[in-house]
């Protein structure tokens, strides 16, 4: 009861942080679809298109190193404001300087800004949610982010909105994301500059969480990026592909919160083990199904998405359960770096496997990598059975 009252007192802070990130995700949803379309309309060379896409990833990885340093010096709210305003200003420049090579540099800055805002929000959420509710809070956070991204992408469905207006809308969303965060009256968790340590020093905090974030990047980006091409190679129409791929997002959105609630009541390593095992088994079933009926593929893809896309929230919650006091910022940045490295390598490794062994190797690769996470989680649970997640705090 006391824990429920404590969490309720923190609810305004949690809502403000989630709302701020949702505004960021609306802007991201717009640009994820709009920029490739604009490049295609301008008939940009493939090298330029690839450079723009890679620039964002490079900025994301660089931001994982830079964000804790900046946050440690100027504080969470000021850092979030700096990142939000930088993202908004750079987004406006996309319209002012419509050159693919200029866009590459801008996307580097946007990637840095994005990971900086996520680092602030996720570390603050972890510090304020408490161990007994982290799974639930991060699950709701992930669901809200997915809905916001889709909402941003749906704005492009309106033929009455020109590209300049959409870019302006994205810039406004980035700038407005500062408002709910700046309006929080509660002081954010403190962090000194000395605590912005090398990210990989945090692997020992929770090896399962770090391996989990790496595997999520290796697998999820491969399926979401290459999955449509895989289905097209099986002879499915664009409409069928869209329906099947939507099952990935729908499945994870539906089960994310119940899984988060479950992880608050059980050893999170067991939940990670179950999700990784389900992801591995379902991926291998998709590979074996081949050209199965559309209904079977939709069910399998939905089941895979329900498990694979729900892992991140549980991994972040598990890592923060064992974080050293006052170091949630650097830990969140390190987890994002682990995911980013996996996301950069995943599509390349998957396409290499497909070139060597055929298209079905995509899901054999996903199943094998997910299986490694399941086995590692089981091994850690067996080696350290007493490392339980801390109980919910009992505060007056």
């Amino acid at each position: 009861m006391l824990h429920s009252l404590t969490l309720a007192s923190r609810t305004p802070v949690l809502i403000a942080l989630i709302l701020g990130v949702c505004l960021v995700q609306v802007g991201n949803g717009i640009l994820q679809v709009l920029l490739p379309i604009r490049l295609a309309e301008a008939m940009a060379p493939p090298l330029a298109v690839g450079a723009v896409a890679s620039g964002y990833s490079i900025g994301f990885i660089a931001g994982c190193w830079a964000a804790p340093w900046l946050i440690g010096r100027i504080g969470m709210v000021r850092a979030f404001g700096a990142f939000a305003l930088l993202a908004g200003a750079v987004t406006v420049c996309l319209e002012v300087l419509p050159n693919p090579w200029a866009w590459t540099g801008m996307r580097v800055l946007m990637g840095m800004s994005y990971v900086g805002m996520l680092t602030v929000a996720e570390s603050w959420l972890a510090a304020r949610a408490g161990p007994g509710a982290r799974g639930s809070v991060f699950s709701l956070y992930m669901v809200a982010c997915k809905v916001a991204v889709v909402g941003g992408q749906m704005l492009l469905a309106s033929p009455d909105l020109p590209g300049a207006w959409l870019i302006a809308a994205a810039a406004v969303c980035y700038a407005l994301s500062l408002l709910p965060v700046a309006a929080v009256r509660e002081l954010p968790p403190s962090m000194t500059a000395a605590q912005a340590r090398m990210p990989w020093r945090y692997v020992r905090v929770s090896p399962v969480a770090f391996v989990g974030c790496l595997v999520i990047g290796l697998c999820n980006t491969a399926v979401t990026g290459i999955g449509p091409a895989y289905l097209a190679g099986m002879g499915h129409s664009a409409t069928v592909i869209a329906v099947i791929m939507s099952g990935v997002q729908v499945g994870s959105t539906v089960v994310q919160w119940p899984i988060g609630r479950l992880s608050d009541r059980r050893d999170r390593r067991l939940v990670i083990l179950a999700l990784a095992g389900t992801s591995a088994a379902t991926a291998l079933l998709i590979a074996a199904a081949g050209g199965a009926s559309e209904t079977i593929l939709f069910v399998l893809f939905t089941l895979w998405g329900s498990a694979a896309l729900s892992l991140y929230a549980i991994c972040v919650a598990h890592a923060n359960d064992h974080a050293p006091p006052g170091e949630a910022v650097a830990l969140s940045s390190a987890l994002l770096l682990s995911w980013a490295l996996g996301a950069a390598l995943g599509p390349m490794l998957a396409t290499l496997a497909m070139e060597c062994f055929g298209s079905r190797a995509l899901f054999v690769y996903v199943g094998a990598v997910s299986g490694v996470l399941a086995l590692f989680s089981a091994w850690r649970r067996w080696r350290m059975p007493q490392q339980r997640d801390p109980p919910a705090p009992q505060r007056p």
Side-chain angles (χ1 to χ4, degrees), residues 161-235:
L161 290 177
W165 281 93
L166 290 169
I167 286 180
V172 169
C173 286
Y174 289 133
L176 289 179
S177 67
L178 172 60
L179 292 182
V181 177
V184 174
R185 299 177 63 183
E186 178 181 310
L187 291 176
S190 60
M191 172 189 169
T192 64
Q195 290 171 336
R197 303 188 299 176
M198 297 294 287
W200 298 121
R201 294 182 65 182
Y202 288 92
V203 173
R204 71 185 66 178
V205 171
S206 177
V208 171
F210 273 86
V211 173
C213 288
L214 179 65
V215 167
I216 292 164
L218 287 170
C219 295
N220 295 7
T221 54
V223 174
T224 56
I226 306 173
Y230 168 84
L231 293 170
M234 294 293 177

Side-chain angles (χ1 to χ4, degrees), residues 81-264:
F83 289 128
L85 294 177
L86 175 61
V90 172
T91 302
V92 172
C93 291
L94 293 173
E95 185 66 24
V96 177
L97 298 172
N99 180 283
W101 302 110
W103 280 15
T104 300
M106 295 176 200
R107 291 296 278 173
V108 171
L109 294 176
M110 294 183 71
M112 294 180 65
S113 301
Y114 178 55
V115 75
M117 289 183 282
L118 288 187
T119 299
V120 171
E122 293 185 5
S123 57
W124 200 341
L125 284 172
R128 289 296 177 258
R134 280 200 185 104
S136 302
V137 169
F138 272 99
S139 293
L140 289 174
Y141 163 76
M142 293 300 297
V143 170
C145 287
K146 292 171 186 176
V147 173
V149 170
V150 173
Q153 293 172 342
M154 291 301 294
L155 291 176
L156 278 79
S158 174
D160 299 328
L161 290 177
W165 281 93
L166 290 169
I167 286 180
V172 169
C173 286
Y174 289 133
L176 289 179
S177 67
L178 172 60
L179 292 182
V181 177
V184 174
R185 299 177 63 183
E186 178 181 310
L187 291 176
S190 60
M191 172 189 169
T192 64
Q195 290 171 336
R197 303 188 299 176
M198 297 294 287
W200 298 121
R201 294 182 65 182
Y202 288 92
V203 173
R204 71 185 66 178
V205 171
S206 177
V208 171
F210 273 86
V211 173
C213 288
L214 179 65
V215 167
I216 292 164
L218 287 170
C219 295
N220 295 7
T221 54
V223 174
T224 56
I226 306 173
Y230 168 84
L231 293 170
M234 294 293 177
H236 296 289
S237 66
T239 301
V240 171
I241 293 172
V243 171
I244 292 175
M245 293 304 298
S246 69
V248 173
Q249 299 295 335
V250 171
S252 64
T253 302
V254 170
V255 306
Q256 179 76 77
W257 187 77
I259 288 174
R261 289 280 292 173
L262 176 64
S263 75
D264 288 334

Side-chain angles (χ1 to χ4, degrees), residues 16-71:
L17 292 170
I18 293 174
L19 178 58
V21 176
C22 283
L23 287 168
V24 173
Q25 297 293 9
V26 171
N28 282 350
I30 294 172
L31 297 181
Q32 282 176 6
V33 178
L34 179 62
L35 294 188
I37 292 175
R38 294 285 292 272
L39 289 170
E41 292 174 347
M43 300 182 68
L47 180 61
V49 176
V52 172
S54 298
Y56 192 80
S57 300
I58 292 170
F60 194 102
I61 293 174
C64 291
W65 297 85
W69 177 85
L70 182 63
I71 294 168

Side-chain angles (χ1 to χ4, degrees), residues 34 37-38 77-78 133 137 162 177 183 194 228 231 270 275 277 284 298 312 315 318 336 347 354 372 387 393:
L34 179 62
I37 292 175
R38 294 285 292 272
V77 176
R78 290 179 179 177
V137 169
S177 67
L231 293 170
L270 294 178
L275 291 175
L284 295 177
F298 176 79
Y312 181 77
C315 290
H318 176 56
L336 288 168
M354 293 172 72
V372 169
Q387 185 187 357

